[in-house]
Amino acid sequence: MKEQHLWRHPVFLYVIFASLGLLLARFFKFVLIDWLTIFLQPLLWLLLLVLGIIGILCSIVFWVRCSRAGVFANWRRSLPLVIQLVAIALSLLVPLDDFWLTYNFWRYLPARQQAVRLIQSGQVSSVSDFVKLPAAYQQTSLGREVQVVYAQGKPFVLFFMLQIFGGAAGFVYSEAAIAPPINVFPPQEIIEQRQIDSHWYYINLVWS
């Protein structure tokens, strides 16, 4: 086993791929829920965590064997274990999905603003609170629809980022630039909200 070829060792490669899979799954949480549904996504998380634990065990065995054989510098022996532990800690403690939300908001903000203008002008309408978006704007909201409600005569437009049994989450456009009332999207209640930009809020909803 040559020191300069650590990156070719199966344990090192396994740890790299397991760590990347865990971090990417957390970063793209909302995308995966859309693809896999809320029922299958936890199974993916469980699988990735199991792979992470296997990575820890393999890294410990790797360190012990290298120490006994006197190969690799001490810090290199420890590298697979450090990488795996850091990846697990980041996936559990750092809200990586918030980075995805921030990217998604700014990436599609112009399209969402245009969709809002179409709704306000009456070019897009519906008999219910849920409005089907034109094809050019369907990537801005999960389910290709938005929910439009009125409070005190002012419209609030919800672009979905998540729709699950018992709740939802997404970006809300507030024409009056005020925070949406807690019960503005019945029968759900807002349990978390934060302002992202002028007229725009991110909210989490649960069934009341």
Side-chain angles (χ1 to χ4, degrees):
M1 189 184 299
K2 296 182 179 180
E3 188 170 340
Q4 63 268 27
H5 295 317
L6 171 65
W7 62 274
R8 293 182 180 178
H9 195 280
V11 171
F12 184 79
L13 293 174
Y14 174 89
V15 165
I16 291 296
F17 285 112
S19 299
L20 284 175
L22 193 60
L23 295 174
L24 289 173
R26 181 63 194 275
F27 183 80
F28 292 108
K29 182 182 79 172
F30 291 95
V31 177
L32 291 172
I33 290 176
D34 183 25
W35 289 352
L36 301 176
T37 75
I38 191 62
F39 302 104
L40 294 179
Q41 196 259 359
L43 297 178
L44 174 63
W45 263 109
L46 180 61
L47 173 62
L48 290 171
L49 286 175
V50 169
L51 293 177
I53 293 172
I54 292 174
I56 291 175
L57 296 176
C58 290
S59 298
I60 293 173
V61 172
F62 174 80
W63 186 88
V64 171
R65 288 182 175 179
C66 288
S67 297
R68 289 177 177 175
V71 294
F72 296 114
N74 190 54
W75 69 271
R76 289 195 176 187
R77 300 172 198 161
S78 306
L79 197 55
L81 180 60
V82 171
I83 291 173
Q84 190 68 81
L85 290 174
V86 168
I88 292 176
L90 288 175
S91 66
L92 294 176
L93 301 177
V94 178
L96 297 175
D97 47 303
D98 280 354
F99 295 115
W100 165 254
L101 286 174
T102 300
Y103 163 78
N104 185 279
F105 175 77
W106 292 109
R107 168 68 177 81
Y108 293 110
L109 178 60
R112 290 188 175 106
Q113 290 172 327
Q114 293 174 19
V116 167
R117 286 193 287 269
L118 289 177
I119 294 170
Q120 290 174 324
S121 66
Q123 296 180 54
V124 180
S125 60
S126 176
V127 295
S128 68
D129 291 346
F130 292 90
V131 178
K132 197 72 173 178
L133 292 170
Y137 306 102
Q138 290 182 350
Q139 77 276 18
T140 63
S141 183
L142 186 65
R144 303 175 181 177
E145 63 183 8
V146 296
Q147 187 175 2
V148 182
V149 298
Y150 291 82
Q152 301 176 346
K154 302 296 182 181
F156 293 89
V157 183
L158 172 57
F159 292 81
F160 293 99
M161 290 297 296
L162 178 67
Q163 286 180 297
I164 59 175
F165 180 76
F171 302 115
V172 175
Y173 171 80
S174 169
E175 183 182 88
I178 58 174
I182 189 172
N183 295 314
V184 73
F185 295 104
Q188 301 178 100
E189 286 187 355
I190 297 174
I191 59 170
E192 175 197 358
Q193 67 174 280
R194 61 179 184 270
Q195 187 169 7
I196 302 176
D197 194 25
S198 176
H199 298 275
W200 290 93
Y201 294 80
Y202 174 77
I203 65 169
N204 272 319
L205 298 160
V206 295
W207 286 89
S208 57

